[in-house]
Amino acid sequence: MAPPTPQPDIDYRLAFEMAPVGLALSRNRIMVDCNQHLCEMFGASREQLVGQSFQILYPSADEFERTGERIAPILNRRGTYADDRIMKRVDGRFKGEAFWCHVTGRALNPNDPHEAGIWCFEDLSAHRTVKAELTPREREVAAYLMQGMTSKHIGKALGISHRTVEIYRARLMRKYKASTAGDLVHKLMAG
């Protein structure tokens, strides 16, 4: 058996920086490092992001808090979490612009999921635009509808009644001029 061919050393810092998605390392929901792609996606410099709470990437403080509460048990149980959500650009020519983003995270300590983690952000705005002005709760309901969840399951995930979810779904249908729930999901997915 021939000895294994020596492999070149991998420069993990270069891999982090050159990743085709936005990456951030976190401690207690504070960004301790990020790559250039994340900075470009959010229209910010590294100096504007490192040391800041992830809250600056959310459309509202309320959504930041609710998302943190919602994902902690899942990170604790599985160690990973992923969803599509609306985020906002921090600075630059698109400052304040809302956009759809796929977010994936891994807790480094599942027993304390917010203690430390690595997060991946993928900008979905080229395929899905935010066409209507939505409230924070409407954004959350829309994200769950796109996952194919029922009003009952969305209500359970958000800690609200399924009837309240149906009210938000009806508002979304009006805003997107959708005639059915399927049409709404299609329009949400298309942007």
Side-chain angles (χ1 to χ4, degrees):
M1 183 172 181
T5 306
Q7 298 294 315
D9 287 338
I10 296 174
D11 182 346
Y12 289 98
R13 182 69 200 179
L14 182 62
F16 180 79
E17 285 300 330
M18 300 301 291
V21 293
L23 296 173
L25 300 175
S26 68
R27 289 209 181 277
N28 299 310
R29 302 186 80 195
I30 303 291
M31 290 175 268
V32 295
D33 199 3
C34 66
N35 68 358
Q36 186 58 36
H37 194 82
L38 185 82
C39 295
E40 292 166 2
M41 184 184 314
F42 286 95
S45 69
R46 190 171 182 283
E47 292 75 24
Q48 287 175 292
L49 298 179
V50 172
Q52 295 294 317
S53 164
F54 280 103
Q55 180 178 330
I56 67 169
L57 308 180
Y58 283 77
S60 71
D62 194 39
E63 286 168 276
F64 169 74
E65 291 301 328
R66 284 199 306 256
T67 300
E69 291 168 7
R70 185 175 64 247
I71 69 175
I74 297 166
L75 277 169
N76 190 320
R77 192 169 51 253
R78 290 189 248 165
T80 61
Y81 181 83
D83 70 14
D84 290 352
R85 65 179 79 144
I86 294 178
M87 305 295 283
K88 77 166 183 177
R89 313 252 189 231
V90 174
D91 207 353
R93 84 176 203 227
F94 298 110
K95 181 178 182 173
E97 176 188 69
F99 69 102
W100 281 101
C101 190
H102 180 73
V103 181
T104 307
R106 175 174 296 280
L108 301 182
N109 176 3
N111 294 322
D112 187 356
H114 289 309
E115 177 186 55
I118 184 160
W119 294 90
C120 173
F121 297 81
E122 183 181 0
D123 186 343
L124 302 176
S125 62
H127 310 289
R128 185 185 310 154
T129 58
V130 179
K131 290 188 178 173
E133 189 68 34
L134 304 177
T135 68
R137 190 60 91 182
E138 288 169 344
R139 287 190 285 267
E140 291 174 325
V141 170
Y144 281 123
L145 285 170
M146 288 187 300
Q147 293 176 27
M149 292 177 72
T150 65
S151 293
K152 185 175 180 180
H153 288 114
I154 295 170
K156 185 174 181 183
L158 295 177
I160 59 178
S161 77
H162 73 281
R163 299 235 187 261
T164 302
V165 172
E166 289 169 4
I167 291 168
Y168 284 110
R169 187 177 62 192
R171 288 180 187 170
L172 287 166
M173 290 178 73
R174 276 193 306 279
K175 287 182 177 184
Y176 278 87
K177 297 177 176 58
S179 55
T180 66
D183 185 33
L184 173 61
V185 170
H186 175 75
K187 287 180 177 187
L188 286 168
M189 296 294 272

mmCIF file of all heavy atoms in Angstrom, residues 18 25 43 56 73 75 83 90 92-93 100 109 134 149:
data_model
loop_
_atom_site.group_PDB
_atom_site.id
_atom_site.type_symbol
_atom_site.label_atom_id
_atom_site.label_comp_id
_atom_site.label_asym_id
_atom_site.label_seq_id
_atom_site.Cartn_x
_atom_site.Cartn_y
_atom_site.Cartn_z
ATOM 1 N N MET A 18 -13.012 33.792 2.160
ATOM 2 C CA MET A 18 -13.378 33.618 0.754
ATOM 3 C C MET A 18 -14.669 32.816 0.556
ATOM 4 O O MET A 18 -15.068 32.560 -0.576
ATOM 5 C CB MET A 18 -12.232 32.943 -0.008
ATOM 6 C CG MET A 18 -10.929 33.737 0.018
ATOM 7 S SD MET A 18 -11.087 35.387 -0.699
ATOM 8 C CE MET A 18 -11.333 34.978 -2.410
ATOM 9 N N LEU A 25 -19.007 34.573 13.448
ATOM 10 C CA LEU A 25 -18.804 33.831 14.687
ATOM 11 C C LEU A 25 -19.424 34.662 15.796
ATOM 12 O O LEU A 25 -19.314 35.896 15.786
ATOM 13 C CB LEU A 25 -17.314 33.621 14.952
ATOM 14 C CG LEU A 25 -16.552 32.850 13.878
ATOM 15 C CD1 LEU A 25 -15.059 32.825 14.200
ATOM 16 C CD2 LEU A 25 -17.092 31.443 13.743
ATOM 17 N N GLY A 43 -24.051 45.715 3.682
ATOM 18 C CA GLY A 43 -23.636 47.081 3.367
ATOM 19 C C GLY A 43 -22.881 47.745 4.491
ATOM 20 O O GLY A 43 -23.030 48.939 4.727
ATOM 21 N N ILE A 56 -28.621 44.449 15.076
ATOM 22 C CA ILE A 56 -28.524 45.482 14.036
ATOM 23 C C ILE A 56 -28.849 44.933 12.646
ATOM 24 O O ILE A 56 -29.099 45.711 11.730
ATOM 25 C CB ILE A 56 -27.146 46.187 14.022
ATOM 26 C CG1 ILE A 56 -26.020 45.248 13.605
ATOM 27 C CG2 ILE A 56 -26.852 46.836 15.340
ATOM 28 C CD1 ILE A 56 -24.712 45.975 13.338
ATOM 29 N N PRO A 73 -34.254 26.666 21.995
ATOM 30 C CA PRO A 73 -34.548 25.253 22.271
ATOM 31 C C PRO A 73 -34.168 24.328 21.116
ATOM 32 O O PRO A 73 -33.767 23.190 21.330
ATOM 33 C CB PRO A 73 -36.060 25.221 22.507
ATOM 34 C CG PRO A 73 -36.518 26.620 22.568
ATOM 35 C CD PRO A 73 -35.438 27.499 22.041
ATOM 36 N N LEU A 75 -31.668 24.892 18.876
ATOM 37 C CA LEU A 75 -30.208 24.788 18.917
ATOM 38 C C LEU A 75 -29.775 23.860 20.043
ATOM 39 O O LEU A 75 -28.834 23.093 19.901
ATOM 40 C CB LEU A 75 -29.578 26.164 19.119
ATOM 41 C CG LEU A 75 -29.399 27.021 17.883
ATOM 42 C CD1 LEU A 75 -29.024 28.448 18.281
ATOM 43 C CD2 LEU A 75 -28.344 26.443 16.965
ATOM 44 N N ASP A 83 -33.437 28.812 8.825
ATOM 45 C CA ASP A 83 -34.720 29.337 8.350
ATOM 46 C C ASP A 83 -34.475 30.425 7.314
ATOM 47 O O ASP A 83 -33.351 30.852 7.102
ATOM 48 C CB ASP A 83 -35.592 29.851 9.499
ATOM 49 C CG ASP A 83 -35.088 31.130 10.157
ATOM 50 O OD1 ASP A 83 -34.213 31.814 9.601
ATOM 51 O OD2 ASP A 83 -35.588 31.459 11.245
ATOM 52 N N VAL A 90 -27.535 47.272 6.835
ATOM 53 C CA VAL A 90 -27.085 48.147 7.918
ATOM 54 C C VAL A 90 -26.682 49.526 7.416
ATOM 55 O O VAL A 90 -26.992 50.543 8.039
ATOM 56 C CB VAL A 90 -25.899 47.494 8.666
ATOM 57 C CG1 VAL A 90 -25.306 48.428 9.707
ATOM 58 C CG2 VAL A 90 -26.339 46.191 9.313
ATOM 59 N N GLY A 92 -24.634 51.771 3.758
ATOM 60 C CA GLY A 92 -24.400 51.808 2.321
ATOM 61 C C GLY A 92 -25.587 52.370 1.574
ATOM 62 O O GLY A 92 -26.520 52.919 2.161
ATOM 63 N N ARG A 93 -25.565 52.200 0.265
ATOM 64 C CA ARG A 93 -26.609 52.821 -0.550
ATOM 65 C C ARG A 93 -27.975 52.180 -0.358
ATOM 66 O O ARG A 93 -28.989 52.762 -0.689
ATOM 67 C CB ARG A 93 -26.182 52.877 -2.005
ATOM 68 C CG ARG A 93 -26.413 51.704 -2.814
ATOM 69 C CD ARG A 93 -26.014 51.993 -4.261
ATOM 70 N NE ARG A 93 -26.733 51.058 -5.074
ATOM 71 C CZ ARG A 93 -26.220 50.353 -6.036
ATOM 72 N NH1 ARG A 93 -24.980 50.512 -6.373
ATOM 73 N NH2 ARG A 93 -26.942 49.501 -6.697
ATOM 74 N N TRP A 100 -34.868 39.161 1.951
ATOM 75 C CA TRP A 100 -34.972 37.779 2.408
ATOM 76 C C TRP A 100 -33.580 37.184 2.516
ATOM 77 O O TRP A 100 -32.730 37.384 1.641
ATOM 78 C CB TRP A 100 -35.806 36.944 1.445
ATOM 79 C CG TRP A 100 -37.266 37.153 1.621
ATOM 80 C CD1 TRP A 100 -38.087 37.922 0.854
ATOM 81 C CD2 TRP A 100 -38.091 36.592 2.648
ATOM 82 N NE1 TRP A 100 -39.382 37.876 1.340
ATOM 83 C CE2 TRP A 100 -39.403 37.064 2.437
ATOM 84 C CE3 TRP A 100 -37.845 35.744 3.722
ATOM 85 C CZ2 TRP A 100 -40.469 36.714 3.270
ATOM 86 C CZ3 TRP A 100 -38.915 35.392 4.548
ATOM 87 C CH2 TRP A 100 -40.196 35.875 4.317
ATOM 88 N N ASN A 109 -21.850 24.951 21.804
ATOM 89 C CA ASN A 109 -22.174 24.297 23.070
ATOM 90 C C ASN A 109 -23.694 24.136 23.131
ATOM 91 O O ASN A 109 -24.390 25.064 23.533
ATOM 92 C CB ASN A 109 -21.679 25.136 24.257
ATOM 93 C CG ASN A 109 -22.070 24.542 25.591
ATOM 94 O OD1 ASN A 109 -22.672 23.468 25.678
ATOM 95 N ND2 ASN A 109 -21.733 25.246 26.658
ATOM 96 N N LEU A 134 -44.278 44.979 5.517
ATOM 97 C CA LEU A 134 -44.840 44.012 6.459
ATOM 98 C C LEU A 134 -44.482 44.370 7.891
ATOM 99 O O LEU A 134 -43.408 44.905 8.157
ATOM 100 C CB LEU A 134 -44.307 42.605 6.154
ATOM 101 C CG LEU A 134 -44.522 42.071 4.733
ATOM 102 C CD1 LEU A 134 -43.879 40.697 4.575
ATOM 103 C CD2 LEU A 134 -45.989 42.014 4.388
ATOM 104 N N MET A 149 -45.964 25.382 6.666
ATOM 105 C CA MET A 149 -46.590 25.129 7.957
ATOM 106 C C MET A 149 -48.050 25.579 7.962
ATOM 107 O O MET A 149 -48.414 26.552 7.306
ATOM 108 C CB MET A 149 -45.814 25.834 9.075
ATOM 109 C CG MET A 149 -44.432 25.233 9.299
ATOM 110 S SD MET A 149 -43.471 26.111 10.552
ATOM 111 C CE MET A 149 -44.320 25.615 12.048
#
